[in-house]
Amino acid sequence: MCHSCHSDPEIRTEIRIAGIRGIQGVVRKTVNDELRATIWEPQHMDKIVPSLLFNMQKIEEVDSRIGPPSSPSAADKEENPAVLAENCFRELLGRATFGNMNNAVRPVFAHLDHHKLWDPNEFAVHCFKIIMYSIQAQYSHHVIQEILGHLDARKKDSPRVRAGIIQVLLEAVAIAAKGSIGPTVLEVFNTLLKHLRLSVESEANDLQGGPAGSAALNTASKDNDEKIVQNAIIQTIGFFGSNLPDYQRSEIMMFIMGKVPVFGTTTHTLDISQLGDLGTRRIQIMLLRSLLMVTSGYKAKTIVTALPGSFLDPLLSPSLMEDYELRQLVLEVMHNLMDRHDNRAKLRGIRIIPDVADLKIKREKICRQDTSFMKKNGQQLYRHIYLGCKEEDNVQKNYELLYTSLALITIELANEEVVIDLIRLAIALQDSAIINEDNLPMFHRCGIMALVAAYLNFVSQMIAVPAFCQHVTKVIEIRTMEAPYFLPEHIFRDKCMLPKSLEKHDKNLYFLTNKITESLGGSGYSVERLSVPYVPQVTDEDRLSRRKSIVDTVSIQVDILPNNIPSDDVVSNTEEITFEALKKAIDTSGMEEQEKEKRRLVIEKFQKAPFEEIAAQCESKANLLHDRLAQILELTIRPPPSPSGTLTVTSGHAQYQSVPVYEMKFPDLCVY
């Protein structure tokens, strides 16, 4: 009767209403009748539920996203089979218990499959909203498990069908996440991440197939459909994760991070054997986007809660990848976790802020746990910012996010010691842009200079040391007139004129270490460490991220400086004496193994020794090098008729005039 197709519409409606009322009567009798034990059996549910859904399909489209579906009026029940069927469906689900819940839900999937109602999926979403609001709250996880199981069963269907099922899961999770959904939390994420991998794998296989003509158009269409699936998965992960309690959200963050593949490691738990490089990059981006959604709005009381070592280390690894989009996502995730006072929106964009006080930055006194976190992990954060600034594929957004990272560390985690370290880092970035060991394009060098200017302007106003502010302001004013490409407002603007070189610029265009030291020292800051140049930590991450190891590129730079210019005031063009160059100049036969062992010990020391010990040893090494270089410059043997070149050396506080380069001997000089 419910499926009547009588030719007369009025008679058809009456027959269907009669059939629905019969089902309704059977449902109501289950309260205190022997039918109670049998009506929930699959053979009965497979007839009752599709009959109700068949009539519900005719219901007018209602917007049930705002809240539970509204109850129909008495008049509607009498006249409209669709409304009467929906009401009966609610009654049926409301009487379902733990043991028979699944029997009532599974026929819904069969009906939606048979009538191809997943694409478009408006009716499917409507059905599951009715289900989630009608059943008892403690049974919500049963429905979610059934949706996940059906998604697994339909994993080979078209992308739009899978996207429709995932959208239904999102709507169900949006309701269930308001309460506890028990053991399905990890199952939801595990299943979604598995389907994310399958979608990326399918997309990568289609791209590698390289069909032509009309087949290529079909492939492009399928790729777009796969992106719909991927975006639906990420949206579901993000919505679900952001509605979980903090303790569960921390677990999910760790869970997702454990899935992110990093080149050269096997610590991740996601199968990427079929993805290839393109697919692996795609899955990295998708997982980090999911992580970004989960961390949105997360507010931890202490930074160590938000960024424990077990999470920070794997999170920072992709920040050294040779892919600007991956690095952007890592920085954005860090900002979500670090910004506990909602200051990030005020810092958006990289610019010279005339008066930081106008931003009304919110901050609290640094707690002991945050201080301890920076003592343990500060150098690791500085290292990733330093190396991230020197990537050749950086775009404007990368510099903006790096600037925001420095500003958030200053706001959330900076005591006096951290401020000094951040200023050292900024000066080191300025020096790297001028010296240009990495052969960066001019745009990137000017971008680094602009980032340093924006940050020093920010930090000088945050710590409110007048002399420091004056020095920064003066440099910015001179740059505005003479070198606007060193300021963010100009370099990141279209068609900005770039200089041909940076070597001939006046010293007044640079932030000078001696000026900063003098200004901060006069305000009671401990400035001894400002005289020690910042050098990033040496770790294995460079090798894992396909980057040339820092150990292979560490060199001693010999600056070309005349006697009458203080060494702190100008960073001029330099000629490098690298480890490899010195190695060639010295007879190293039989010493190769010793050199390898010495290098290993140096790396181990920089990884494990306290900062103060390393700084002290570097100072003593600098003094020793000063003495050795003084000896070398006195050794000139058999000078040729004309000099083959000139070399100027500085070491520590010593400066030497340019001298002819003759044939030199290096008796026992060994440089690491």
Side-chain angles (χ1 to χ4, degrees), residues 530-547:
L530 278 176
S531 60
V532 181
Y534 170 77
V535 178
Q537 284 182 335
V538 178
T539 72
D540 290 336
E541 287 177 330
D542 300 285
R543 185 181 71 256
L544 300 182
S545 61
R546 294 180 172 180
R547 175 195 294 275

Side-chain angles (χ1 to χ4, degrees), residues 101 106 282 370 545 564 620 647 668:
M101 171 61 62
R106 283 171 186 161
R282 184 75 178 155
D370 289 350
S545 61
N564 56 350
S620 65
L647 177 67
D668 56 349

Side-chain angles (χ1 to χ4, degrees), residues 253-265:
M253 286 157 49
M254 293 290 298
F255 182 74
I256 296 175
M257 198 65 245
K259 299 281 186 181
V260 178
V262 178
F263 291 114
T265 68

Side-chain angles (χ1 to χ4, degrees), residues 364-615:
E364 296 177 7
K365 186 177 179 181
I366 309 301
C367 66
R368 186 168 52 186
Q369 292 92 331
D370 289 350
T371 301
S372 176
F373 173 85
M374 287 305 292
K375 282 184 177 294
K376 184 177 180 181
N377 301 294
Q379 294 299 323
Q380 191 178 6
L381 294 175
Y382 307 149
R383 157 189 164 78
H384 284 264
I385 292 173
Y386 180 82
L387 296 177
C389 288
K390 298 170 69 173
E391 293 288 354
E392 290 188 10
D393 62 341
N394 278 341
V395 295
Q396 178 178 346
K397 186 176 179 181
N398 290 87
Y399 292 115
E400 291 178 351
L401 293 172
L402 288 162
Y403 162 74
T404 304
S405 299
L406 289 167
L408 286 175
I409 293 174
T410 305
I411 295 168
E412 297 285 349
L413 301 168
N415 55 15
E416 181 179 315
E417 182 179 346
V418 172
V419 166
I420 295 297
D421 282 338
L422 289 169
I423 294 172
R424 287 176 63 227
L425 174 60
I427 296 300
L429 285 170
Q430 175 182 259
D431 292 349
S432 71
I434 298 169
I435 298 169
N436 199 25
E437 290 178 322
D438 300 285
N439 295 318
L440 293 174
M442 185 57 69
F443 169 79
H444 294 77
R445 297 171 69 185
C446 292
I448 294 174
M449 298 290 282
L451 183 152
V452 171
Y455 175 66
L456 288 180
N457 173 71
F458 177 82
V459 73
S460 65
Q461 295 186 55
M462 286 296 291
I463 64 176
V465 175
F468 186 20
C469 292
Q470 289 172 9
H471 173 60
V472 172
T473 303
K474 183 179 178 182
V475 172
I476 291 173
E477 288 174 352
I478 297 174
R479 287 185 178 188
T480 303
M481 294 183 291
E482 299 182 13
Y485 39 78
F486 284 167
L487 298 175
E489 290 84 355
H490 295 270
I491 185 61
F492 297 125
R493 189 176 61 190
D494 292 338
K495 298 180 181 179
C496 175
M497 294 294 293
L498 298 175
K500 294 182 179 180
S501 68
L502 304 185
E503 285 71 25
K504 297 180 181 179
H505 282 78
D506 187 80
K507 67 176 183 178
N508 293 323
L509 292 172
Y510 303 135
F511 301 101
L512 307 177
T513 305
N514 64 330
K515 298 280 188 184
I516 297 174
T517 302
E518 182 182 340
S519 62
L520 293 179
S523 296
Y525 278 79
S526 178
V527 294
E528 290 80 10
R529 285 165 55 212
L530 278 176
S531 60
V532 181
Y534 170 77
V535 178
Q537 284 182 335
V538 178
T539 72
D540 290 336
E541 287 177 330
D542 300 285
R543 185 181 71 256
L544 300 182
S545 61
R546 294 180 172 180
R547 175 195 294 275
K548 189 178 180 183
S549 174
I550 294 179
V551 180
D552 296 333
T553 58
V554 166
S555 62
I556 295 179
Q557 295 186 357
V558 187
D559 296 351
I560 302 177
L561 293 172
N563 252 351
N564 56 350
I565 299 179
S567 61
D568 287 339
D569 284 0
V570 167
V571 184
S572 26
N573 192 22
T574 63
E575 180 176 342
E576 287 186 345
I577 299 179
T578 64
F579 179 79
E580 293 298 327
L582 288 172
K583 203 172 168 189
K584 290 177 182 177
I586 305 171
D587 182 12
T588 56
S589 57
M591 296 180 61
E592 194 169 329
E593 289 300 321
Q594 294 180 25
E595 293 297 337
K596 286 182 180 179
E597 179 62 18
K598 287 180 181 179
R599 181 182 295 181
R600 187 190 66 78
L601 292 173
V602 169
I603 295 173
E604 185 176 342
K605 186 172 189 63
F606 270 86
Q607 286 176 331
K608 298 180 179 180
F611 175 81
E612 292 75 11
E613 180 182 335
I614 294 172

Side-chain angles (χ1 to χ4, degrees), residues 97-338:
T97 62
F98 179 83
N100 51 45
M101 171 61 62
N102 293 343
N103 291 341
V105 174
R106 283 171 186 161
V108 177
F109 292 105
H111 180 82
L112 297 173
D113 288 345
H114 180 71
H115 292 276
K116 297 180 172 59
L117 296 173
W118 295 111
D119 177 32
N121 69 341
E122 286 81 2
F123 181 70
V125 170
H126 181 65
C127 285
F128 277 92
K129 283 203 166 191
I130 292 173
I131 292 172
M132 296 302 291
Y133 281 117
S134 300
I135 62 174
Q136 299 179 50
Q138 64 266 33
Y139 302 148
S140 296
H141 64 278
H142 282 289
V143 179
I144 292 174
Q145 285 175 324
E146 289 295 322
I147 299 173
L148 292 172
H150 196 67
L151 181 60
D152 281 338
R154 302 298 298 270
K155 64 184 178 183
K156 294 185 179 180
D157 279 31
S158 70
R160 289 189 174 272
V161 169
R162 286 181 280 131
I165 299 173
I166 293 166
Q167 181 66 29
V168 167
L169 177 63
L170 172 61
E171 300 292 346
V173 161
I175 299 168
K178 294 175 182 177
S180 174
I181 61 170
T184 59
V185 174
L186 283 180
E187 184 182 350
V188 169
F189 285 98
N190 199 36
T191 302
L192 288 173
L193 292 176
K194 179 178 69 176
H195 283 276
L196 183 61
R197 178 186 60 80
L198 291 172
S199 176
V200 172
E201 184 178 322
S202 174
E203 183 183 23
N205 289 339
D206 290 336
L207 288 174
Q208 291 170 1
S214 60
L217 294 175
N218 293 333
T219 300
S221 175
K222 186 178 179 184
D223 289 343
N224 290 332
D225 290 345
E226 290 294 350
K227 285 182 172 59
I228 293 173
V229 175
Q230 294 160 15
N231 289 331
I233 292 174
I234 290 171
Q235 187 180 9
T236 305
I237 288 174
F239 189 89
F240 190 15
S242 61
N243 280 278
L244 290 173
D246 284 350
Y247 73 93
Q248 281 187 319
R249 204 192 303 202
S250 298
E251 293 176 1
I252 296 306
M253 286 157 49
M254 293 290 298
F255 182 74
I256 296 175
M257 198 65 245
K259 299 281 186 181
V260 178
V262 178
F263 291 114
T265 68
T266 56
T267 54
H268 55 86
T269 58
L270 201 66
D271 181 16
I272 59 169
S273 56
Q274 305 298 320
L275 292 179
D277 284 354
L278 184 63
T280 300
R281 176 190 178 274
R282 184 75 178 155
I283 198 70
Q284 287 171 330
I285 290 174
M286 292 293 107
L287 289 171
L288 288 173
R289 283 180 59 194
S290 302
L291 187 61
L292 182 63
M293 294 281 286
V294 172
T295 56
S296 180
Y298 181 59
K299 295 288 188 298
K301 292 183 179 179
T302 62
I303 195 68
V304 73
T305 305
L307 288 169
S310 54
F311 179 73
L312 181 64
D313 293 340
L315 174 64
L316 288 177
S317 292
S319 75
L320 295 181
M321 291 290 186
E322 295 174 344
D323 187 294
Y324 72 94
E325 191 174 355
L326 283 173
R327 299 196 301 273
Q328 290 174 5
L329 288 168
V330 170
L331 290 171
E332 288 179 307
V333 170
M334 285 183 58
H335 296 170
N336 277 347
L337 298 173
M338 201 177 291

